[in-house]
Amino acid sequence: MHKVKLNLAIIGYGKMGKTIHRIAEKKGHTVSVIIRSTNTGDMQNLPPGIDAAIEFSKPESAVANLEILARKGIPTVCGTTGWDRYREQVRTLYTDLQTGFVYASNFSIGMNIFFHINKKLAMIMNTQPDFSVEIRETHHTEKLDAPSGTAITIAEDIVKRIERKDNWVNQPSGKENEIPIISHRVANVKGEHSVSYTSDLDKLVFTHQARSREGFAEGAIIAAEFIAQRKGVFSFEDILGL
């Protein structure tokens, strides 16, 4: 990991941005640039010397922010979700410009272990056609996108590994080829995701509960420490060696 203290930019200063700021300084890093909703024009005039940017803004502004950071050669960690249709375009831009980029729909270390096990479990369940699969996710009421980016990642990883599944939907479904994602928005819930496999004889439920927003912030800073000295596109699972 990158042990040198970093000069960071935080793009997006909601609850996550504020938590990242606090923990980054606690770990000895400097936050020299903060882009809030009130100073978005400053994105065009970012100062030199930024080691990494951590982008946790909103879906409607994320792609424009990422394009600016890529063209300025600033290694970037992005945790904003809800802009999936542009993901390959952004990955290609960072690759072509040889700028470091880490995107994750979830920066919790525990959730990324969950992602890893979810893939393994899906491979096993590919041979068990009697089991149906369902994903449930619950978040705080301030979360704007549904399903969550994390739930989409879980679903897409299953679709790639279970041959009888080729799509996910954000509602209950009785279709053999679809994975239903059931979304709930409840006050003061940090985030919970579960995958269940159900047959007439058994039910298997695999769950992750986020206990604090600090877990996501810690992961984002670990990613910034990693990407600050690298070029190209990485996943958080790459960083964790999974």
Side-chain angles (χ1 to χ4, degrees), residues 27-225:
K27 293 169 78 75
H29 301 305
T30 298
V31 177
S32 63
V33 174
I34 298 172
I35 302 295
R36 303 172 171 84
S37 58
T38 55
N39 68 330
T40 55
D42 291 349
M43 283 295 298
Q44 299 291 345
N45 299 296
L46 294 173
I50 297 172
D51 295 310
I54 301 178
E55 209 278 354
F56 271 81
S57 65
K58 295 181 178 180
E60 59 268 24
S61 56
V63 175
N65 290 339
L66 296 173
E67 288 180 350
I68 291 169
L69 293 167
R71 296 188 188 283
K72 289 182 176 291
I74 298 174
T76 305
V77 173
C78 178
T80 305
T81 60
W83 54 278
D84 287 22
R85 65 184 182 274
Y86 301 107
R87 195 185 305 175
E88 285 308 310
Q89 170 188 324
V90 169
R91 287 170 59 90
T92 298
L93 182 64
Y94 274 86
T95 299
D96 290 347
L97 295 174
Q98 282 295 287
T99 301
F101 182 63
V102 177
Y103 169 76
S105 57
N106 193 307
F107 278 97
S108 156
I109 291 174
M111 191 68 238
N112 280 274
I113 294 171
F114 182 108
F115 287 151
H116 186 67
I117 296 172
N118 177 58
K119 294 174 186 176
K120 301 287 189 183
L121 182 56
M123 292 171 66
I124 295 169
M125 300 310 288
N126 185 44
T127 67
Q128 302 297 323
D130 291 340
F131 283 82
S132 62
V133 57
E134 180 183 88
I135 298 167
R136 290 183 174 266
E137 60 99 353
T138 304
H139 283 85
H140 50 83
T141 51
E142 293 87 0
K143 186 169 180 61
L144 300 178
D145 54 318
S148 68
T150 298
I152 292 172
T153 298
I154 292 167
E156 290 180 345
D157 284 343
I158 295 172
V159 165
K160 290 175 184 175
R161 291 164 177 84
I162 296 184
E163 295 170 4
R164 61 188 181 274
K165 302 296 182 182
D166 61 18
N167 189 30
W168 60 264
V169 291
N170 193 206
Q171 60 190 24
S173 173
K175 295 182 179 179
E176 174 68 18
N177 67 310
E178 291 182 339
I179 300 173
I181 302 177
I182 311 302
S183 298
H184 299 284
R185 296 293 174 262
V186 180
N188 301 318
V189 175
K190 300 297 187 295
E192 179 173 321
H193 295 84
S194 67
V195 178
S196 62
Y197 289 92
T198 305
S199 74
D200 291 339
L201 301 177
D202 294 289
K203 183 171 184 178
L204 174 64
V205 182
F206 183 41
T207 301
H208 173 269
Q209 294 177 334
R211 302 183 68 186
S212 168
R213 190 171 279 109
E214 291 189 1
F216 306 114
E218 286 274 1
I221 294 165
I222 288 170
E225 293 168 346

Side-chain angles (χ1 to χ4, degrees), residues 12-30:
Y13 207 61
K15 291 180 180 178
M16 269 303 304
K18 292 180 175 70
T19 304
I20 290 168
H21 188 176
R22 176 170 54 80
I23 293 178
E25 291 192 336
K26 183 178 178 181
K27 293 169 78 75
H29 301 305
T30 298

